[in-house]
């Protein structure tokens, strides 16, 4: 988005609404990052197993309110063999995501 990269964290059964995301980020155009760039940012993670800790990689993190209403969150821990489960409150304390509505249920 305008030269900055943002990690989006949303439930698996949601899809990003790009028009809404552009309004939230106040950007005219928002694009997905290409696979090669993901590999460079998340060198220590398996492909397709990136955990939602963008803050550890210098990224701003946006999370949907719907996701954070869950009691617990479960996600890949950088590999396809390990997962992390923690409370939504602990996730918020660790990551401090910006909470915005940018997705809808599919």
């Amino acid at each position: 988005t305008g030269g900055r990269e943002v990690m989006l964290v949303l439930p698996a059964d949601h899809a990003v609404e790009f028009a809404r995301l552009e309004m939230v980020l106040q950007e005219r155009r928002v694009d997905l990052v290409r696979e090669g760039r993901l590999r460079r940012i998340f060198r220590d993670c398996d492909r397709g197993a990136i955990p939602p800790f963008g803050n550890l990689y210098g990224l701003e993190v946006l999370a949907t309110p719907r996701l954070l209403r869950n009691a617990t969150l479960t996600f890949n821990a950088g590999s396809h063999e390990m997962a992390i489960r923690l409370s939504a409150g602990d996730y918020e304390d660790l990551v401090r995501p910006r909470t915005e509505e940018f997705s809808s249920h599919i």
Side-chain angles (χ1 to χ4, degrees), residues 14-50:
H14 277 221
V16 174
E17 293 182 10
F18 284 93
R20 183 181 268 183
L21 182 61
E22 288 167 349
M23 289 189 304
V24 165
L25 295 173
Q26 298 179 346
E27 294 286 345
R28 288 185 24 204
R29 184 180 167 122
V30 175
D31 291 309
L32 296 176
V33 174
R34 296 197 184 277
E35 183 71 28
R37 178 68 181 136
L38 284 176
R39 283 195 299 266
R40 287 191 299 279
I41 295 170
F42 303 101
R43 293 173 190 253
D44 58 339
C45 298
D46 291 348
R47 182 179 178 188
I50 297 168

